[in-house]
Amino acid sequence: MDSLTQIVLGAAVGEIVLGKKVGNKAMLWGAIAGTIPDLDVLSKLFVDNVTANELHRGFSHSLLFSILAAPILGWLISKIHINSEANWKDWSKLMFLGLFTHPILDAFTTWGTQLFWPLDYKVAINNIFVVDPLYTIPFLIFVVMAMFYKRTNPKREKFNRFGLYISSFYMLITLVLQQSAKANFSSNLERQHIQYNDIQTRPTPLNSILWTANIETNDSFLIGYYSLLDEDDNIQFLKFPKNHHLLEDMKNDPLISRLIKLTEGWYTIERKDNMIYFNDLRFGQLGMGTDANRFVFSYELYYDDSGVLNAKERARNPEDASPLLKKLFNRILGNKS
């Protein structure tokens, strides 16, 4: 999830663990714990795009990292707050829960997390987008309200827990909506007599009303959209040929194997303007339907002067965000045109 959501979750967890003993200090350190796993994004300063994306949500988002880091961080905090009612074990417990609830929440999103690192398996439930205001804003409001009460005031705990209950309930709702959307995608594929190998259903940005699905067939991928506000359940699928043959001799390069592993097999190859692009389908398109001209995550494949194959992530233009959001909102409302 986004940084704000993780801060709020960490603060709420910190309050539950130590709020009665140390007040807002518990929220502060819980919020800090909630941001620590995402420090792996700093790897982009030292390694290439592909390696950075491989490292993201890896070790720092694992159970092992939480177990190892919590007592160290707990000891450091206990030295900072020497006169606190909380001891080293209390702070270690807070840090563990603050660290580990971060990847637990991330596991519900599309990217997934290596909760069981060093195993390669990523947990990705795909039922909530990485930024969802309906999850974050109510949660944030109740946590902030709790901050303004003394640590001994029962209203503080009440508001904090209420925020957690609302966010958790919303998460359960998205799981139900995901299954409903997936059922509709599947029934449309059956009615249209489309044979497929796999299907992946996820929400579109910033909401849980408009859902999209990637469908794998033998030689292509299909993408469809379904809004809970659509007047009918009919879905038109867009077809994207796999074009894996365009890799030619590149297919034997270790970099291609890494990209295939990173995308979990959800990729297409595109030739455009004499360039070869490796498209990661898991995060959808920049745009809606036929208006979309590329995928969110796409890598330009090229050989450098030494003959080494490289993959450069294609830049995204921030100026495109406003019109894309307008089209997204219209489609959420059920406008298919």
Side-chain angles (χ1 to χ4, degrees), residues 172-316:
L172 290 174
I173 290 176
T174 63
L175 287 168
V176 174
L177 296 179
Q178 180 190 41
Q179 293 307 308
S180 175
K182 184 176 181 179
N184 192 42
F185 285 121
S186 299
S187 63
N188 267 268
L189 290 167
E190 184 177 349
R191 288 200 302 268
Q192 297 178 39
H193 306 289
I194 297 174
Q195 299 293 322
Y196 64 98
N197 303 323
D198 199 3
I199 181 172
Q200 185 186 75
T201 307
R202 66 183 187 280
T204 54
L206 307 174
N207 77 104
S208 58
I209 298 175
L210 178 61
W211 294 78
T212 183
N214 290 346
I215 299 100
E216 182 187 11
T217 66
N218 290 334
D219 60 356
S220 63
F221 289 99
L222 309 178
I223 295 180
Y225 294 90
Y226 167 65
S227 172
L228 302 178
L229 302 179
D230 285 347
E231 293 184 359
D232 59 70
D233 291 341
N234 297 322
I235 297 173
Q236 179 181 358
F237 296 99
L238 302 175
K239 185 176 182 179
F240 298 87
K242 291 181 177 179
N243 288 334
H244 293 174
H245 65 280
L246 294 177
L247 286 172
E248 298 178 343
D249 293 339
M250 292 181 182
K251 66 181 180 182
N252 298 318
D253 193 285
L255 178 60
I256 299 302
S257 298
R258 291 168 58 197
L259 285 170
I260 293 174
K261 180 180 179 182
L262 181 64
T263 62
E264 300 174 352
W266 295 92
Y267 73 98
T268 64
I269 305 300
E270 178 185 3
R271 186 193 297 275
K272 186 176 182 181
D273 299 329
N274 295 320
M275 299 300 301
I276 297 293
Y277 296 100
F278 189 107
N279 299 317
D280 186 343
L281 272 63
R282 295 173 302 155
F283 306 97
Q285 303 166 280
L286 280 172
M288 299 294 302
T290 56
D291 292 334
N293 57 8
R294 52 161 290 194
F295 289 90
V296 174
F297 278 89
S298 180
Y299 301 87
E300 176 189 331
L301 301 177
Y302 67 96
Y303 288 99
D304 62 19
D305 294 337
S306 301
V308 177
L309 183 63
N310 289 267
K312 180 175 68 175
E313 191 172 322
R314 296 170 72 182
R316 294 176 285 276

